[in-house]
Structure formats: C-alpha cells, structure tokens
C-alpha cells in the first residue's frame, strides 16, 4: 500500500510539473476574452461597449432607464439614484464589477457615479432571483453585471467633452464634463487600459442647487501568458464633493464628501488543466464618506477585503459544472454605527444538464453566511429549445441579510437592531422568447412571495427600530423586443414591465392589501435608432406609472413620460460632435416625493478617437 501511494505521488508530482511547464512554454495565444459567464436561462438584458458609446449617456443610471428599469432618483448627475427591479431595490439589487459584488455593506446601495462608462466592455442586467453564476451573491431583485475592458488590439486615444444647460440665465452653462481614455498593447501579451473623467455640475434647476464636483479614474494592466492565461491588476478611484439639498422648500442642505477606491488582482488560468478553468480574484474596497448638515456631522469608514474563487469545469458529455465561493471581511468605523467587524461568504455551485437537443436543466444552489446568520438557496430551471422559440420555467428561493445600518445605526430616536433575521421568499418565472436574425421578442411572467422584510417601525419605547415585519406578494410580466430593418438602418428596442403588488402584513390593518410605496404599476422604454451615412439619431421614450408615496395608498405621484433625443455626426474621421436633449417635452415630474427632477436640458458634446498601430 505504501508502494502504491509512492507511485501515485510520483505521478501527481510529474503531472503538476508537466502542466506548470506547459503553462509557460506554450505559444501565447490571445483568444476572444469573455470575462462574464454566459447563462442562457437567466432573464438578461445586454449592452455591448459599442452600444453604450453610441447612446452618448452621461452616466450609468441613464442606461438603466433605457432598459425600462425604474430609478428612485433624488436628483440628476451625482446624486442618489437607485434602480428598482420588479419592485426590489437597495441591497436586493446587486452590482458586480468583474465578478465581485460592490454594494456598500453599510447601506446596501452602490454609487453609480464611480463608474466611467468608457471603461466598460459589457453590461448585463438580470431581472429576478434566478441566477446561475457563482459570483452574484444570490440577488433577490436582480443583478447588474459590469465587465471592464482588458484586451485591446491597437493603441487608442479618445476624449469626450460635453456641456449641459438647463436654460437658467444665472448659470447658462450648468454642467461641464471631460473624459480621456487611453488603451494600448505594451507588448505582445501585456495590455494597458486607463481612463479618467472630471465633472463640474451645478444642477441649478431648483431653488436649492445640488452642486457636484467629482473625478474618477481607472487603470488596468492585463498580462496574457501560456495559451490564454491572464493576470489583471486594476484600480478604480473616485472622489466627489456634493452639496445635497433636502426635500422641496427645505433649507437644511447637506454637504457630502466621498472617497472610494477599488483595488483588485485577478488570475485567470484556463490552461492550468484540460478539465477546468480557474479564476482567483482578490479585492480591496474602500468607501469613505463625510457628511454634515444642520442636524449632524458624521463620518463613515468602510474597508472590505474580498476573495473570490470560481471553477468552471469543462463540459463532460451532457453535463457542465460551475462552482465557487466568496469570502468577505468588512471593517466599519462609523459615527452612527460604531466600530464593527463582519465576516460573510457564499458557497455556490451550478449543474447544467443537456437532457436532449431540446431539453436542458440548470440547478444552482448556494449556502450563505453573515456573522451568525446562515441560509440555503436552492434554484432550478428547465428550458425547452424549439428553434426559434425558447421556453424556460424556473423556481428559486430568495434570501437577503440585513445591512450594517440595519444592525447598528444610532441616532436621535433611531436605533439599529442586531437581532434581525434575514429576509426570505420564493419566486418563479415563466419565459417565452422568439429569436430570429433581425427580430427578437421575449415575455416573462413572474411571481414572488417575500417575507420577514426589514422595516423601520416604532417600538413600545417610541424608538424607531428596523424589524422583520413586512411581507408582500409580487405578480408581473416583463416584456422585451427588438427589430432591425433595412440592414440595421432603422432599429427599435422595447422594454416594459407590469407589476402587481400587495402587502400582506396582518399586524398592520391600515396597510394590509395595499400596494408597495414608490412602486409603479407599469414602466416601459422605447428606443428608436436611425443609422445614416453621416449621422446617428437615437430617440428614447421612458414611461413610469403611478406610484403611491406611502404604504397607506392615500396619495400618489402622477405617471410621466420622458422623451430624450441624441444625434451624433459620424462622417468625420477623428472628431464626432453630438447633441443630446433630455426631457424634450419639458415634463415636470418627481421620482421621489418632494424631490423635483430637471426639466428640459441640452448637452453639446464632441468626441475624438485616434487609433494607430504600436
């Protein structure tokens, strides 16, 4: 037996040495790099780098709005804007950058101003709680996957300069933004992507202006070695100074300073083994915020260290396996939350089985933990592929842990609750899609029951505390379609969602059976693109339906339509001027009660791009 063990040991040692030598001795090949996980059973909306750049958007929330997603907005650029997917928002909508969740562990939200659209290779928006990837930490409402650029063929220098006006005499030029991007292959295997952007926005469209001065930068180095293996070093930095107005007629304006830094190191080794690909990622996320107004001065220091491992096993006959885990250590030092250390993690595995050329099955499972809380989230989906029609039925459990604010917040009359338990629920989706060369249409019927929802309520001592009180039922339909005509000269894209909600907390008779506040019954977006030889014209119409301003359902915000138009002149070789008009109908609207949004504005911009062989 000892002799057998020695023989096996020598074989393993020889195999390791051989695979390691092959790793560095093979001819270097640079395949098309795909850093996102293709998951055909998920309900996804996808935008490529080219599609994002063509829209001439100011920030990522504008892109989400064109995808038919409701935004809970407290103002324009630089102020808080939270996507709401299927009635879920905040921490239930996860944001991932290159496989790592970047939601703030204190608040559960993500600051979208920190991301430069020019640094993005691809954005994928998943609606609902069914996710197959191993790096999404089990979202409830949905996931926004962001993949940054890594590989370039030619050296490219590009810039984008734009100015915006709200037609105010005292500030005819309201917003000025400048970005610069440079990408180059340093050697045959080493690539550099870097960009920077600075914005000065007075946001002078109401009595209390919301000044925002911010800057962001992103530097990324990627080295490919040994048949597609790569190592990537990336750093994303953001600094912002913001004067934040309170609600309408309030004179209690706040001042907020944000300093964020995301440093990551990722190792992707598809050539390590003929049986699987391996990806290791180590992230350090730092979020620092200083806030002051008439009532308080606060500081919040958050440092998170994340490690993610993903193993993608190569297909064996009709079975494919994806497995991985994420470990997270967070240190919080907050004037409101105190000092705390938090450990969390997710262990995930997805099995995909091709039963026949028509039927396929996907079974993702996950085990999550955060401090003393632990949860299990099984999921399953079956797909029927009847070319060109595809039918998918999925069922899943949803689980969401409390944020650090929920657990520890300290304020006058407010107190966190460390005894909170996770929110949880069940969901199911039924999707039918039809895809042809120039035409696509998809519809998904979904239903969710969600319970133990964390809600701030007054206790017997008249102290407001978060408690596991609320439960609700969600029923809705997602629509998605696109069509291109005349060799892509004219393109239409439609996204829409109808949502029916009912609160089911029997302990509160006044809200039982009512609709969830801020949640519209219908949202939709229609984008029309006209591609001519000398210009590109994009017209987008966004509709947001009626939203109640409280769970009592006594009053509501009126529905509104936003019409935006963008024209880019494409005939020139290196310089591309464009004009964008937002809120063309001059609609007066509010996303959140008493926070008016801008009326009509015009943005004049000019892009330049120079590409050359190194």
């Amino acid at each position: 037996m000892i002799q057998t063990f020695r023989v096996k040991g020598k074989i393993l040692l020889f195999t390791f040495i051989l695979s390691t030598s092959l790793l560095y001795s093979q001819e270097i090949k640079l395949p098309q790099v795909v850093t996102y996980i293709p998951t055909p059973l998920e309900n996804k909306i996808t935008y490529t780098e080219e599609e994002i750049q063509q829209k001439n958007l100011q920030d990522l929330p504008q892109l989400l709005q064109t995808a038919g997603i409701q935004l809970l907005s407290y103002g324009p650029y630089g102020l808080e804007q939270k996507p709401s997917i299927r009635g879920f928002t905040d921490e239930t909508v996860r944001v991932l950058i290159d496989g790592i969740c970047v939601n703030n562990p204190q608040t559960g939200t993500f600051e979208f101003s920190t991301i430069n659209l020019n640094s993005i290779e691809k954005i994928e928006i998943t609606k609902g709680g069914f996710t197959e990837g191993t790096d999404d930490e089990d979202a409830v409402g949905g996931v926004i996957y962001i993949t940054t650029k890594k590989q370039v063929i030619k050296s490219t220098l590009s810039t984008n300069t734009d100015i915006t006006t709200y037609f105010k005499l005292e500030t005819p030029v309201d917003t000025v933004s400048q970005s610069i991007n440079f990408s180059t292959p340093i050697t045959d295997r080493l690539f550099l992507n870097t960009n920077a952007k600075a914005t000065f926005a007075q946001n002078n469209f109401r009595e209390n202006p919301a000044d925002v001065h911010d800057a962001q930068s992103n530097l990324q180095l990627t080295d490919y070695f040994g048949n597609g293996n790569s190592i990537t070093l990336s750093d994303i930095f953001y600094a912002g100074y913001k004067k934040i107005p309170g609600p309408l007629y309030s004179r209690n304006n706040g001042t907020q300073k944000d300093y964020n830094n995301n440093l990551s190191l990722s190792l992707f080794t598809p050539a390590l083994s003929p049986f699987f690909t391996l990806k290791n990622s180590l992230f350090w996320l730092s979020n620092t915020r200083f806030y002051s107004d008439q009532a308080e001065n606060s500081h919040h220091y958050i440092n998170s260290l994340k490690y993610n491992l993903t193993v993608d096993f190569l297909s064996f006959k009709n079975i494919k396996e994806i497995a991985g885990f994420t470990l997270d250590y967070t240190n919080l030092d907050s004037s409101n939350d105190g000092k705390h250390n938090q450990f969390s993690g997710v262990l995930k595995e997805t099995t995909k089985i091709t039963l026949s050329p028509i039927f396929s099955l996907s079974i993702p499972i996950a085990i999550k933990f955060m401090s003393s809380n632990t949860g299990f989230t099984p999921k399953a989906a079956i797909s029927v592929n009847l070319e060109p029609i595809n039918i998918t039925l999925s069922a899943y459990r949803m689980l969401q842990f409390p944020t650090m604010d929920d657990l520890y917040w300290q304020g006058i009359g407010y107190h966190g609750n460390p005894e909170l338990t996770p929110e949880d629920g069940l969901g199911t989706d039924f999707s039918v899609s039809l895809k042809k060369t120039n035409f696509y249409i998809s519809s998904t019927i979904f239903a969710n029951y969600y319970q133990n929802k964390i809600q701030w309520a007054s206790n017997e001592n008249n102290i407001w505390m978060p408690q596991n009180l609320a439960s609700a039922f969600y029923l809705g339909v997602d629509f998605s379609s696109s069509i291109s005509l005349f060799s892509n000269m004219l393109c239409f894209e439609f996204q829409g969602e109808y949502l029916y909600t009912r609160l089911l907390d029997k302990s509160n008779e006044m809200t039982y059976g009512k609709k969830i506040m801020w949640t519209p019954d219908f949202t939709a977006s229609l984008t029309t693109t006209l591609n001519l030889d000398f210009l590109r014209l994009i017209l987008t119409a966004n509709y947001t339906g009626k939203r109640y301003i409280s769970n009592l359902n006594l009053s509501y915000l009126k529905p509104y339509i936003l019409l935006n138009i963008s024209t880019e002149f494409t005939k020139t070789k290196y310089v591309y001027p464009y004009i964008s008009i937002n809120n063309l109908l001059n609609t007066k609207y509010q996303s959140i009660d008493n926070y008016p949004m801008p009326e009509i504005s015009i943005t004049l911009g000019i892009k330049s791009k120079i590409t050359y062989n190194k």
Side-chain angles (χ1 to χ4, degrees):
M1 184 174 182
I2 295 177
Q3 185 67 25
T4 303
F5 177 79
R6 288 176 177 173
V7 172
K8 290 183 177 179
K10 291 180 180 179
I11 294 174
L12 289 173
L13 180 61
F14 174 76
T15 303
F16 175 77
I17 294 174
L18 179 61
S19 62
T20 304
S21 62
L22 286 174
L23 203 67
Y24 290 94
S25 63
Q26 289 177 344
E27 178 185 356
I28 296 173
K29 299 178 182 179
L30 299 179
Q32 181 180 2
V33 179
V34 180
T35 52
Y36 49 90
I37 300 174
T39 49
L41 298 192
E42 291 183 349
N43 183 14
K44 277 190 175 181
I45 303 170
T46 302
Y47 294 99
T48 64
E49 174 188 355
E50 182 180 6
E51 292 170 334
I52 295 171
Q53 297 303 316
Q54 288 176 354
K55 294 179 182 294
N56 295 318
L57 302 172
Q58 191 174 29
D59 54 17
L60 185 53
Q62 286 187 344
L63 178 65
L64 300 178
Q65 203 166 31
T66 63
I69 293 176
Q70 180 204 7
L71 288 178
L72 298 174
S73 302
Y74 291 85
Y77 175 83
L79 301 185
E80 187 174 9
Q81 301 186 71
K82 301 184 292 187
S84 177
I85 301 178
R86 293 185 175 179
F88 293 93
T89 188
D90 294 334
E91 68 272 18
T92 60
V93 177
R94 314 300 281 178
V95 180
L96 275 76
I97 299 178
D98 293 333
I100 292 292
C101 180
V102 291
N103 289 66
N104 188 308
Q106 181 185 11
T107 63
T109 59
F110 174 70
E111 175 57 77
F112 286 99
S113 299
T114 62
I115 290 295
N116 187 343
L117 288 174
N118 294 307
S119 67
I120 296 175
E121 172 190 299
K122 196 164 193 173
I123 290 179
E124 298 166 293
I125 304 168
T126 297
K127 292 185 175 183
F130 182 81
T131 53
E132 297 175 302
T134 59
D135 49 10
D136 50 50
E137 299 196 18
D138 271 359
V140 171
V143 185
I144 301 172
Y145 297 94
I146 299 174
T147 302
T148 58
K149 301 175 186 177
K150 293 177 178 61
Q151 180 181 324
V152 293
I153 299 175
K154 297 180 179 180
S155 298
T156 302
L157 175 65
S158 61
T159 65
N160 188 1
T161 306
D162 61 64
I163 60 174
T164 301
T165 179
Y166 292 120
F167 302 101
K168 300 293 183 181
L169 292 177
E170 59 273 26
T171 55
V173 175
D174 186 273
T175 304
V176 179
S177 181
Q178 175 67 58
S179 67
I180 183 169
N181 315 282
F182 179 66
S183 303
T184 185
I186 299 176
T187 67
D188 291 340
R189 54 182 250 185
L190 183 63
F191 300 90
L192 170 68
N193 285 278
T194 181
N195 59 75
K197 181 181 179 181
T199 302
F200 173 83
Q202 299 181 76
N203 293 332
N204 190 18
F205 62 92
R206 52 175 285 186
E207 285 188 25
N208 299 332
D211 288 354
V212 175
H213 309 162
D214 65 7
Q216 55 191 239
S217 65
N218 183 13
L219 187 148
Q220 193 166 68
L221 276 170
T222 303
D223 181 27
Y224 290 90
F225 59 93
N227 197 24
N229 299 287
S230 65
I231 184 168
T232 300
L233 177 65
S234 175
D235 187 76
I236 302 173
F237 176 77
Y238 174 82
Y241 174 82
K242 308 172 185 180
K243 291 183 178 179
I244 301 176
L248 195 63
Y249 309 119
S250 170
R251 290 295 181 266
N252 185 18
N253 296 340
T255 300
Q256 181 174 304
K257 300 176 183 178
D258 288 318
Y259 305 97
N260 302 327
N261 195 75
N262 298 352
L263 179 65
S264 66
L265 181 66
S266 298
L267 177 64
F268 180 53
T269 51
L272 181 64
S273 168
F275 306 108
F276 62 84
T277 64
L278 186 67
K279 183 179 180 180
N280 291 271
S281 297
L282 183 64
F283 269 63
W284 169 59
L285 308 179
S286 175
N287 301 92
T288 301
R289 170 169 293 178
F290 301 98
Y291 181 82
S292 64
D293 60 19
Q294 295 178 6
E296 67 167 334
N297 291 306
S298 64
H299 67 265
H300 312 276
Y301 305 101
I302 307 171
N303 285 279
S304 295
L305 191 63
K306 294 174 176 280
Y307 173 71
N308 176 264
L309 172 69
T310 299
V311 182
D312 189 347
F313 294 94
L314 302 181
S315 298
F316 178 73
K317 292 185 179 179
N318 298 327
I319 299 177
K320 184 177 180 61
E321 292 279 346
I322 305 173
F325 67 87
T326 300
L327 297 177
D328 185 321
Y329 163 73
T330 298
N331 175 264
L332 173 66
D333 181 357
S334 167
S335 53
N336 293 101
D337 289 339
K339 297 181 180 181
H340 298 278
N341 296 309
Q342 178 177 274
F343 294 90
S344 62
V346 181
L347 177 63
K348 296 195 68 175
E349 183 269 342
T350 297
T351 301
K352 295 184 179 184
I353 305 174
T354 303
L355 303 175
S356 70
I358 296 177
F359 295 96
S360 60
L361 181 67
S362 178
I363 307 175
I365 59 174
I367 299 174
K368 305 172 61 176
F369 75 89
M370 180 177 289
S371 300
S372 60
N373 289 316
T374 305
F376 175 62
T377 55
K379 306 174 187 180
I382 187 168
S383 175
V384 181
N385 187 13
L386 304 171
E387 287 288 348
I389 297 174
N390 185 271
I391 302 171
T392 302
L393 175 65
S394 64
Y396 45 88
R397 186 191 180 197
M398 303 178 290
L399 191 69
Q400 181 61 54
F401 292 115
T403 66
M404 299 181 84
D405 271 355
D406 292 332
L407 297 171
Y408 309 120
W409 184 267
Q410 298 280 350
I412 301 176
Y414 293 84
H415 198 292
N417 182 2
E419 304 300 323
L420 290 171
T421 59
E423 304 170 349
D424 67 280
L426 299 173
T428 183
D429 293 5
F430 177 73
S431 302
V432 179
S433 62
L434 170 65
K435 186 175 183 180
K436 291 193 174 182
T437 304
N438 299 322
F439 177 73
Y440 173 79
I441 185 170
S442 174
S443 180
T444 301
I445 301 174
F446 61 89
N448 301 119
Y449 172 70
Y450 204 59
Q451 62 182 356
N452 296 324
K453 174 68 177 175
I454 296 172
Q455 180 176 306
W456 287 77
S458 179
N459 62 14
E460 63 275 5
N461 298 320
N462 293 323
I463 300 296
W464 284 81
M465 294 181 62
Q467 302 174 48
N468 294 102
L469 292 176
S471 58
F473 175 71
Y474 304 74
L475 178 66
V477 181
D478 285 330
F479 307 95
S480 179
S481 65
S482 64
I483 184 171
S484 59
L485 305 172
F486 313 116
S487 300
N488 290 329
M489 186 180 73
L490 184 62
C491 303
F492 299 93
E493 181 182 351
F494 176 78
Q495 307 283 347
E497 178 180 286
Y498 170 77
L499 181 62
Y500 170 90
T501 63
R502 282 294 180 267
L503 291 164
L504 301 177
D505 179 16
K506 293 184 177 180
S507 64
N508 190 340
E509 297 180 356
M510 299 181 67
T511 62
Y512 184 82
K514 301 296 179 64
K515 293 185 177 181
I516 299 175
M517 60 186 293
W518 306 127
T519 305
D521 50 2
F522 188 72
T523 57
S525 174
L526 175 62
T527 301
T528 303
T529 303
L530 178 63
N531 295 301
L532 300 177
D533 289 339
F534 60 96
L535 67 79
R536 180 184 301 108
L537 178 69
I538 300 178
L539 180 66
T540 302
N542 298 305
Y543 174 83
T544 301
K546 181 174 73 175
R547 293 136 294 136
Y548 288 102
I549 64 174
S550 76
N551 286 334
L552 296 175
N553 290 182
L554 299 178
S555 57
Y556 60 87
L557 297 176
K558 294 181 180 180
Y560 61 87
I561 295 177
L562 297 179
L563 192 63
N564 304 324
I565 187 169
S566 175
T567 301
E568 179 179 341
F569 299 92
T570 58
K571 192 65 174 177
T572 55
K573 187 174 183 180
Y574 300 112
V575 178
Y576 312 94
Y578 63 90
I579 302 173
S580 297
I581 305 177
N582 290 326
N583 197 356
L584 184 63
L585 302 177
N586 206 28
T587 302
K588 295 183 178 180
Y589 72 103
Q590 298 179 52
S591 177
I592 301 293
D593 189 32
N594 286 323
Y595 286 89
M597 297 295 291
E599 298 173 15
I600 187 171
S601 66
I602 292 183
T603 298
L604 302 177
I606 184 167
K607 295 189 293 187
S608 67
K609 185 175 182 179
I610 301 174
T611 302
Y612 58 94
N613 292 320
K614 185 176 173 60

